[in-house]
Amino acid sequence: MTETDRASRPGGRTARVRADVLAAVAAELTEHGYDGLTIDGVAARSGVHRTTVYRRWKTVAGLLVDLLQTDDDWAPADTGSLKGDLIALNREVYDALTEQPSITQAVIAASFRTPEAADALTAFWADRYRRSAVVVERAIARGEVPATTNAHETVVAATAPLYHQLVLLKQPMSRAAADRYARLASGM
């Protein structure tokens, strides 16, 4: 079996090593920021030999890119209404941005430090917005909104105020305010 074959297996030791390393990357990034993120620190925290980490990820940027490319089965909640779906989505975003420490905020900050991480974060957001479009598609199918409703614009209208307030301005926001932005975006 080649190294490529081993790296592509969904389970086994390779999957465990990757999971351990990515968990360590998230922990190190939230605790120490990008400047404190090192391959040696990740190796020590994950229990994976530093040579393995260097061989597979090569650089700190490689670790960040892999963290952002983690496959998952995330999907927005289906509450039965556009307003409910957008509120649920905003609550997830709110929780991710306000937890302490926030891996989401740490990854956003780190993405400005390397072009590879910036590209990976852009791809991550594009995927999340693509998946989130279903909340509007369901609302269209239920007849809640016109068929011409732009899913991307609706989701951005709901979530953007959270990023603006909590990440860019670094100002507090209540969960009730996050809910209000979701209601405004839903038109209800």
Side-chain angles (χ1 to χ4, degrees), residues 3 15 80-81 113 115 118 127 160:
E3 182 66 27
S81 73
R113 304 297 296 277
D127 175 66

Side-chain angles (χ1 to χ4, degrees), residues 26-37:
E28 289 286 307
L29 187 61
T30 56
E31 285 180 26
H32 307 294
Y34 178 81
D35 290 333
L37 182 63

Side-chain angles (χ1 to χ4, degrees), residues 98-134:
T98 58
E99 71 182 350
Q100 292 300 318
S102 171
I103 183 61
T104 303
Q105 289 216 32
V107 167
I108 291 169
S111 74
F112 288 97
R113 304 297 296 277
T114 166
E116 301 92 345
D119 291 345
L121 186 61
T122 298
F124 174 85
W125 291 130
D127 175 66
R128 282 300 194 253
Y129 281 113
R130 181 189 54 75
R131 293 188 206 189
S132 296
V134 71

